[in-house]
């Protein structure tokens, strides 16, 4: 009894320590956040007469100038010291690797939190243990990756300092307090992660388990705040605020952080990290599945891959909408930037991005169709898959049709103009919104089929429910396609607004159909068991494809976001005067992204291997439940 | 069911015959016309019809005891899509786009034939038969492939590596990003906020809703709205400016951009690419008026670096027209095409 009370006390103290760590950076930085306070002091030293005011380039407010103007760099060893090759390529590599690992270690604890929560709330003891073990395995992998993230962060900082001293000096002069808070947050994140991990076996049941779960919440709050702070730097580089036209800091740190693109970037990155993390873990499970020698292992990794995929896709579905919001804000901030991205210089990269998004959804659907194969009783759906393939691919074809077509002059002449009279219509936003919403709705339909694969509803209103669902999906397709067609006949600014009902239709399908299906399947008759591990190898390659596409797309979008500044370090404030202030060719960028992807996957395989050295075997009684098929994983059922 | 599937199969058979006719140039590509304004949906509809037709055809042949093996179904369907894209759609689709579509349809075919184990086995069977080579014929085929495949791959490699005298492929930027502001006749215009001074209502105030209500009707007829004829002697305000813009257009622009504003003027085909087609929903309908103002004023020569390759012979019209004339001609272009300029509100 005394021991339990001691453990409880210890756990509460550990949780308090975590919250303390969370609040520490904020408490320490409070004086710094009130930056305006020490700024005038500095000015006062030179006398009242010298107070100079400037106008915020974004907020248009007046403030006292407290910073130096952005340096006007010149090409040479002082501002751009270098080796015998392009400095920015080295920076690109360091940055991208840090981002990959950063995203992974921020996403995995969120997964752990969700999976641990599922383990706590599930009534099935065997499943609870499996969830708990899975979450523990994940955090173990993340721990090894965490130290690598920190090392890569260090390399990134050194690369900035040694190759772009003038630019980094300017950035750090503005973000001085934020950078210190960031460093402290990193300490807090590390501390919290270690307490969370090493406290796992000490807090396994009852109240103690809830305390442990609360720790994961604190850990994720710190991780998310950490990312928001890092986002403020890139937000500032793209859409500066809090400085005047010369780049002089005006003393309001909130303006510098809260730039025009900060919020959409934050939302987009959270969702992106989660989808990416899900993809990486799913690929890990797929690799282990393919390498498994026993049915038991195959069953375990099949299940793990499914859970990771479901979590990843849950965040993938809203991701295009978050991306849409970000682009909308980019257009609102600078039309010029929006056109460069979507219709101009970088437009072809967006076509590649659309292609990658399509691959993500195609892989997901393909995996789900393959997964129907491990359910007895799901055969009734399989003969309709060809129609889903057709609908998906029609949406995909429209979605990837370029507005700016690559063609030879002879083809251009034969076509009679820059736009193809038929296909040119697919190249504009109205059609593309229709295309992506059709793809997502079809993915939702595949999920619904999967969720009811081996079940027959026993509710009295099941016939009505099925008809209702069929009509709902039919109307959804009609509405999405109808609005896409209507978009051609109305002004562009009204057309932009059509995306709202289209997205609302898709989301309605997601929420209403999932909810209705869950009600219909409550107490449903099982036609057969889910035979975990009895899934085709092709499905696992689909998971690997999903993860590779995520990684490639992250690299691509990072490049696009960075390139849109063109020849500016900080948009319209600090010019890039290095010899590399030009945009790379599409081919070079694609090769560089592929190299980054390859390096990441090779290095993360090493991390997985390291992680696997210390992974505990799941309890025997827990594994026995795996093949029985009775336990139903959450997320899908 | 059988009767229904027979009708559907008939559609599939007709589709194949029509396409064969187009390939052999017996049937012109435009026998079934792609109707302007409905073309994008028409293509998708046609493809849906063919998919249904092929399903019916497969069903009917199956019931007649002549099922088509899954492997050949897949090959035939993919070939059909490739040939459809090449011979049905006119004007010809550039190779880069056909390659994208071809790859997607190949992926689709793979997803279809491998969606479940039974189908996948059926599809693989002919390939496995040749690899296993249990019969003499299969053995011969296997040797044949052993020789043919390397030759084929070698041929493709040679073809892609051999120097060609064709003009290089260009990745032209259709909408180069505009600068934040532009200086015309000594005055600076901020593109994000500049407005057309002639887009005014009866009271002389800037009013886009008013002007939008008086443009020609969208659609095939492009009819003028009642009581909104710019060539009416009594037309005032917006309509009068549209008329003046039209006069400027026909004195300066229509030689290239065409009297129907579709980029097919008298001199259009002397240029490559031909001039912009304003009736296309991908041109002025997508842009702010201030963007058009900048492009007219500065012409091809004034395009920014990132607009490379410029490939535009559009003159810098600021050297020939006043600022007011440029705004008026823009007013006319939107009026005539029935589009509204893009706004950000």
């Amino acid at each position: 009894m005394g021991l339990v009370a001691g453990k409880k006390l210890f756990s509460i103290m550990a949780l308090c320590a975590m919250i303390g760590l969370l609040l520490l950076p904020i408490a320490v930085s409070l004086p710094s956040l009130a930056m305006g306070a020490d700024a005038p002091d500095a000015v006062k030293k030179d006398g009242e007469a010298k107070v100079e005011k400037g106008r915020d380039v974004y907020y248009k407010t007046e403030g006292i100038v407290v910073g130096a103007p952005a340096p006007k760099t010149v090409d040479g060893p002082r501002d751009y010291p270098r080796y015998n090759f392009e400095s920015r390529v080295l920076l690109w590599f360091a940055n991208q690797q840090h981002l990959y690992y950063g995203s992974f270690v921020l996403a995995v604890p969120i997964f752990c939190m969700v999976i641990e929560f599922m383990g706590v709330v599930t009534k099935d003891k065997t499943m609870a243990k499996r969830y708990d073990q899975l979450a523990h395995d994940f955090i173990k992998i993340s721990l090894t990756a965490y130290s690598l993230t920190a090392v890569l962060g260090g390399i990134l900082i050194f690369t900035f300092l040694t190759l772009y001293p003038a630019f980094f000096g300017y950035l750090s002069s503005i973000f001085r307090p934020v950078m210190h808070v960031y460093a402290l947050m990193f300490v807090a994140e590390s501390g919290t992660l270690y307490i969370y991990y090493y406290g796992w076996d000490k807090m396994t049941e009852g109240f103690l388990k809830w305390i442990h779960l609360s720790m994961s919440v604190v850990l994720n709050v710190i991780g998310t705040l950490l990312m928001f702070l890092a986002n403020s730097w890139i937000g500032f580089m793209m859409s500066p605020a809090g400085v005047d036209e010369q780049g002089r800091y005006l003393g309001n740190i909130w303006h510098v952080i809260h730039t025009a693109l900060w919020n959409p970037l934050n939302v987009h990155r959270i969702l992106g990290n989660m989808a990416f993390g899900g993809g990486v873990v799913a690929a890990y499970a797929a690799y282990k599945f393919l390498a498994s020698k026993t049915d038991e292992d195959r069953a375990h990794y099949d299940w793990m891959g499914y859970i990771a995929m479901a979590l990843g896709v849950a965040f993938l579905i809203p991701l295009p909408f978050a991306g849409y919001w970000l682009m909308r804000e980019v257009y609102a901030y600078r039309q010029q930037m929006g056109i460069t991205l979507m219709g101009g210089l970088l437009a072809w990269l967006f076509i590649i991005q659309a292609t990658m998004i399509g691959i993500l959804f195609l892989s997901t659907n393909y995996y789900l169709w393959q997964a129907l194969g491990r359910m007895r009783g799901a055969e009734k759906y399989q003969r309709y898959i060809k129609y889903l393939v057709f609908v998906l691919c029609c949406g995909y074809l429209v979605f990837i049709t370029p507005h700016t077509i690559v063609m030879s002059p002879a083809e251009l002449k034969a076509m009679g103009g820059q736009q193809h009279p038929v296909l040119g219509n697919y190249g504009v936003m109205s059609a593309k919104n229709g295309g992506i919403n059709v793809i997502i709705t079809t993915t939702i339909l595949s999920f619904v089929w999967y969720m009811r694969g081996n079940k027959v509803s026993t509710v009295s209103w099941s016939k009505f429910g099925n008809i209702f669902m069929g009509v709902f999906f039919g109307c959804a397709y009609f509405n999405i396609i109808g609005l896409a067609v209507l978009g051609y006949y109305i002004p562009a600014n009204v057309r932009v607004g059509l995306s709202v009902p289209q997205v609302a239709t898709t989301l309605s399908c997601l929420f209403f159909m999932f909810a209705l299906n869950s009600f219909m399947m409550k107490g449903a008759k099982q036609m057969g068991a889910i035979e975990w591990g009895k899934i085709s190898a092709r499905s696992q390659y689909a998971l690997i494809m999903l993860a590779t596409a995520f990684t490639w797309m992250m690299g691509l979008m990072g490049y696009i976001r960075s390139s849109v500044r063109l020849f500016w370090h900080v948009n319209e404030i600090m010019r890039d005067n290095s010899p590399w202030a030009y945009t790379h060719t599409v081919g070079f960028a694609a090769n560089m992204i592929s190299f980054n992807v390859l390096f990441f996957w090779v290095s993360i395989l090493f991390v997985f291997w390291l992680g696997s050295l210390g992974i505990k075997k799941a309890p025997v009684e827990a594994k026995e439940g795996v093949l029985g098929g009775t336990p139903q994983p959450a997320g899908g059922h | 069911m059988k009767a229904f599937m027979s009708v559907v199969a008939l559609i599939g058979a007709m589709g194949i015959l029509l396409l064969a006719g187009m390939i052999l140039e017996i049937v012109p590509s435009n026998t079934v016309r792609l109707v302007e304004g409905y073309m994008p949906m028409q293509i998708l509809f046609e493809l849906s019809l063919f998919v249904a037709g092929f399903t019916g055809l497969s069903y009917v042949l199956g019931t007649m005891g002549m099922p088509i093996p899954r492997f050949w179904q897949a090959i035939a369907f993919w070939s059909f899509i490739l040939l459809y894209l090449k011979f049905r759609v006119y004007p010809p689709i550039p190779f880069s786009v056909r390659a994208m579509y071809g790859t997607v349809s190949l992926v689709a075919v793979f997803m279809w034939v491998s969606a479940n184990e039974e189908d996948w086995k059926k599809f693989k069977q002919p390939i496995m038969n040749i690899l296993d080579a249990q019969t003499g014929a299969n053995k011969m085929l296997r040797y044949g492939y052993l020789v043919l495949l390397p030759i084929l791959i070698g041929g493709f490699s040679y073809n892609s590596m051999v120097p060609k005298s064709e003009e290089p492929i260009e990745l032209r930027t259709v909408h180069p990003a505009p600068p934040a502001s532009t200086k015309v006749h000594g005055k600076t215009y901020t593109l994000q906020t500049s407005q057309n001074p002639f887009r005014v209502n009866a009271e002389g105030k800037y009013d886009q809703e008013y002007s939008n209500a008086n443009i020609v009707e969208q659609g095939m007829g492009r009819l003028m709205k009642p009581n909104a004829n710019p060539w009416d002697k009594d037309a005032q305000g917006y309509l009068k400016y549209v008329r003046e813009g039209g006069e400027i257009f026909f004195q300066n622009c229509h030689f290239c951009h065409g009297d129907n504003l579709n980029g097919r003027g008298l001199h259009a085909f002397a240029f490559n690419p031909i001039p912009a087609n304003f009736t296309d929903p991908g041109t002025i309908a997508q842009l702010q008026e201030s963007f058009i103002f900048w492009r007219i004023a500065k012409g091809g020569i004034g395009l920014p670096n990132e607009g490379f390759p410029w490939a535009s012979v559009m003159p810098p019209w600021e050297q020939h027209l006043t600022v007011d004339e440029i705004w008026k001609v823009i007013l006319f272009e939107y009026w005539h095409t029935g589009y509204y300029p893009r706004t950000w509100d």
Side-chain angles (χ1 to χ4, degrees), chain A residues 334-448:
Chain A
R334 284 286 182 281
Q335 175 189 211
Q336 179 188 7
M337 211 178 234
I339 292 179
T340 301
L341 283 167
M342 306 289 283
L345 187 65
L346 302 170
W348 247 93
L349 295 170
F350 265 86
I351 290 299
I352 301 174
Q353 183 229 10
T355 310
M356 300 310 286
I357 292 175
I359 290 173
L360 291 178
F361 281 104
L362 289 188
S363 308
T364 305
N365 278 279
Y366 187 72
Y367 174 81
L368 289 170
W369 301 333
Q370 294 297 310
L372 285 173
R374 68 177 166 217
M375 285 180 192
R376 300 287 71 85
E379 295 79 9
K380 60 181 179 287
Y381 290 110
Q382 288 186 331
R383 61 196 173 120
Y384 299 110
I385 286 174
K386 55 179 171 282
Y387 303 113
L388 290 194
V389 173
F390 180 72
V391 174
L392 259 183
C393 288
C394 284
Y396 188 34
L397 286 178
V398 171
F399 193 51
I400 61 169
T401 302
H403 185 55
T404 307
I405 297 177
V406 175
M407 55 192 155
S408 67
E411 284 177 320
L412 179 65
K413 201 156 197 171
M415 214 169 77
Q418 191 70 44
Q419 259 95 32
H420 192 283
V422 182
L423 302 183
N425 294 292
Y426 294 147
V428 294
M429 214 54 212
S430 186
K432 293 202 184 299
N433 274 343
I436 187 63
N437 279 290
V438 162
I439 292 173
I440 298 176
T441 304
T442 309
T443 308
I444 294 166
L445 186 56
S446 290
F447 258 109
V448 169

Side-chain angles (χ1 to χ4, degrees), chain A residues 311-574:
Chain A
L311 284 171
V313 172
F315 290 92
L316 169 67
I317 287 175
L319 194 56
F321 308 134
Y324 190 83
W325 180 38
L326 174 60
M327 278 303 116
R328 206 187 141 105
E329 293 303 313
V330 166
Y331 264 101
Y333 171 70
R334 284 286 182 281
Q335 175 189 211
Q336 179 188 7
M337 211 178 234
I339 292 179
T340 301
L341 283 167
M342 306 289 283
L345 187 65
L346 302 170
W348 247 93
L349 295 170
F350 265 86
I351 290 299
I352 301 174
Q353 183 229 10
T355 310
M356 300 310 286
I357 292 175
I359 290 173
L360 291 178
F361 281 104
L362 289 188
S363 308
T364 305
N365 278 279
Y366 187 72
Y367 174 81
L368 289 170
W369 301 333
Q370 294 297 310
L372 285 173
R374 68 177 166 217
M375 285 180 192
R376 300 287 71 85
E379 295 79 9
K380 60 181 179 287
Y381 290 110
Q382 288 186 331
R383 61 196 173 120
Y384 299 110
I385 286 174
K386 55 179 171 282
Y387 303 113
L388 290 194
V389 173
F390 180 72
V391 174
L392 259 183
C393 288
C394 284
Y396 188 34
L397 286 178
V398 171
F399 193 51
I400 61 169
T401 302
H403 185 55
T404 307
I405 297 177
V406 175
M407 55 192 155
S408 67
E411 284 177 320
L412 179 65
K413 201 156 197 171
M415 214 169 77
Q418 191 70 44
Q419 259 95 32
H420 192 283
V422 182
L423 302 183
N425 294 292
Y426 294 147
V428 294
M429 214 54 212
S430 186
K432 293 202 184 299
N433 274 343
I436 187 63
N437 279 290
V438 162
I439 292 173
I440 298 176
T441 304
T442 309
T443 308
I444 294 166
L445 186 56
S446 290
F447 258 109
V448 169
W449 282 9
Y450 178 79
M451 288 193 289
R452 49 167 54 203
N454 61 338
K455 293 173 185 170
V456 175
S457 174
T458 51
V459 292
S460 57
W461 48 276
S462 67
K463 194 172 179 186
F464 168 78
N466 284 336
I467 294 171
F468 182 81
M469 284 180 84
V471 171
F472 198 96
F473 270 108
C475 290
Y477 280 119
F478 184 77
N479 194 34
I480 290 166
I481 297 168
L483 289 175
V485 175
L486 177 70
Y488 287 105
Y489 301 98
I490 54 174
N493 59 331
V494 184
R495 184 195 309 150
V496 170
L498 284 187
S499 60
V500 178
Q502 281 179 321
V503 170
T505 307
T506 307
L507 292 180
S508 304
C509 279
L510 178 69
F511 295 117
F512 293 146
M513 292 299 98
F514 272 21
L516 185 63
N517 193 56
S518 301
F519 281 124
M520 284 180 73
M521 293 300 136
K522 220 169 199 175
K525 189 177 147 197
Q526 293 254 358
M527 302 300 288
I530 301 177
E531 296 174 343
W532 291 107
K534 293 195 174 167
I535 191 168
S536 68
R538 297 189 302 285
S539 66
Q540 305 303 304
Y541 291 116
L543 289 183
I544 292 172
M545 169 69 100
L546 189 77
T548 313
F550 267 132
T551 324
W552 212 92
M553 204 167 78
M554 258 182 85
L556 176 77
M557 295 317 289
Y559 167 68
I560 294 176
R561 189 196 45 69
S562 190
S563 295
V564 75
R565 285 180 284 113
L566 301 174
F567 41 80
W568 296 99
H569 285 311
V570 177
N571 195 35
E572 296 168 11
I573 294 286
M574 183 181 178

Side-chain angles (χ1 to χ4, degrees), chain B residues 55 59 76 131 180 222 250 263 311:
Chain B
T55 312
Y59 175 84
L131 290 175
R222 300 204 193 282
F250 284 104

Side-chain angles (χ1 to χ4, degrees), chain A residues 90-138:
Chain A
L90 200 62
L91 193 68
W92 186 351
F93 171 73
N95 211 341
Q96 190 61 65
Q97 295 304 321
H98 178 59
L99 273 171
Y100 279 146
Y101 275 93
S103 304
F104 182 65
V105 297
L106 288 179
V108 169
I110 302 180
F111 284 169
C112 287
M113 181 178 72
V114 174
I115 296 170
E116 196 183 358
F117 177 74
M118 275 155 45
V120 169
V121 295
T122 190
K123 285 172 187 153
D124 185 331
K125 291 257 178 198
T126 315
M127 284 305 295
K129 275 188 180 161
R130 288 181 64 202
Y131 281 129
D132 198 62
Q133 188 62 47
L134 187 65
H136 187 263
D137 286 355
F138 278 1

Side-chain angles (χ1 to χ4, degrees), chain B residues 26 39 58 106 151 162 186 199 221 234 269 288 295 304 306 343:
Chain B
I26 303 167
M39 294 176 297
S58 169
L106 183 65
I151 293 175
V162 72
R199 194 171 285 283
D234 302 326
F269 291 96
Q288 266 187 291
R295 289 292 286 114
E306 57 269 25
T343 53

